[in-house]
C-alpha cells in the first residue's frame, strides 16, 4: 500500500505539470488546490528537490517547478523516490540481497515476476499520461 507521502508527491508533480509554466509555483498555491497541508507538502517537496524531481527557489517569486518535461518523468521514479523500492520481499530489494535459500525457494520466481510486473507498470506510465 502506498502512503500519503507517495500519493501526495504524485499530486504535486501533476499540479506542477498542469501549470505548464516556467515560473516557480508557490507551495501555498499547490496546497490550496490539492487540499493538502502546506507543512506536510514542505517535507515532501524537500525530498523531491533532493531526489532531483523538481527545483525550488525561495523569496518573493519563489516556489517549485519541474526540471523536465512531464513526458520525461515516470510515475515509478516518483513513487519509488518517496516510498522506496517496489520489492515485495527483502531478497529482491537490491542486487546484493542474496538469500541463502535462493536455490531452494519455491516462491522466488513468483515474487520476481510480480516485482517486474509492478515496476514495468509504474515505470511505463509517464506523468504526462496523468494530465
Amino acid at each position: 500500500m502506498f502512503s500519503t507521502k507517495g500519493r501526495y508527491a504524485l499530486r504535486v508533480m501533476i499540479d506542477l505539470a498542469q501549470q505548464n509554466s516556467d515560473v516557480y509555483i508557490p507551495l501555498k498555491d499547490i496546497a490550496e488546490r490539492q487540499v493538502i497541508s502546506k507543512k506536510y507538502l514542505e517535507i515532501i517537496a524537500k525530498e523531491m528537490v533532493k531526489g532531483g524531481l523538481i527545483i525550488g527557489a525561495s523569496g518573493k517569486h519563489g516556489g517549485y517547478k519541474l526540471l523536465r518535461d512531464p513526458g520525461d518523468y515516470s510515475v515509478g521514479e516518483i513513487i519509488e523516490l518517496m516510498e522506496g523500492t517496489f520489492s515485495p520481499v527483502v531478497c529482491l530489494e537490491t542486487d546484493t540481497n542474496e538469500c541463502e535459500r535462493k536455490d531452494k525457494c519455491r516462491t522466488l520466481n513468483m515474487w520476481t515476476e510480480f516485482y517486474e510486473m509492478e515496476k514495468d507498470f509504474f515505470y511505463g506510465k509517464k506523468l504526462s499520461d496523468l494530465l
Side-chain angles (χ1 to χ4, degrees), residues 6-21 30 34 48 52-55 64-79 81-82 120-131:
R7 294 190 327 264
Y8 289 1
L10 195 53
R11 285 171 55 184
V12 167
M13 295 293 288
I14 292 168
D15 191 287
L16 289 172
Q18 286 175 321
Q19 303 316 307
N20 196 20
S21 175
I30 298 169
Q34 297 301 318
M48 292 193 309
L53 294 178
I54 60 176
I55 188 168
Y64 296 90
K65 66 181 180 177
L66 298 179
L67 284 168
R68 305 179 301 223
D69 183 77
D72 294 335
Y73 290 96
S74 73
V75 171
E77 75 176 302
I78 298 165
I79 293 174
L81 174 69
M82 303 308 292
D120 289 347
F121 177 81
F122 286 112
Y123 275 89
K125 297 281 183 206
K126 299 298 181 187
L127 183 60
S128 58
D129 296 336
L130 304 176
L131 301 179

Side-chain angles (χ1 to χ4, degrees), residues 29-42:
D29 294 353
I30 298 169
E32 287 174 14
R33 280 192 295 272
Q34 297 301 318
V35 191
I36 301 171
S37 155
K38 181 179 177 265
K39 195 160 193 74
Y40 191 35
L41 285 187
E42 287 170 353

Side-chain angles (χ1 to χ4, degrees), residues 42-54:
E42 287 170 353
I43 296 165
I44 292 169
K46 184 183 279 190
E47 284 188 49
M48 292 193 309
V49 167
K50 186 177 176 186
L53 294 178
I54 60 176

Side-chain angles (χ1 to χ4, degrees), residues 65-109:
K65 66 181 180 177
L66 298 179
L67 284 168
R68 305 179 301 223
D69 183 77
D72 294 335
Y73 290 96
S74 73
V75 171
E77 75 176 302
I78 298 165
I79 293 174
E80 201 162 31
L81 174 69
M82 303 308 292
E83 299 285 343
T85 179
F86 287 113
S87 175
V89 291
V90 165
C91 59
L92 295 176
E93 278 185 339
T94 65
D95 293 336
T96 59
N97 280 356
E98 282 293 322
C99 178
E100 61 188 47
R101 296 195 69 243
K102 183 177 181 178
D103 296 333
K104 300 173 195 154
C105 184
R106 305 294 253 180
T107 60
L108 182 59
N109 288 338

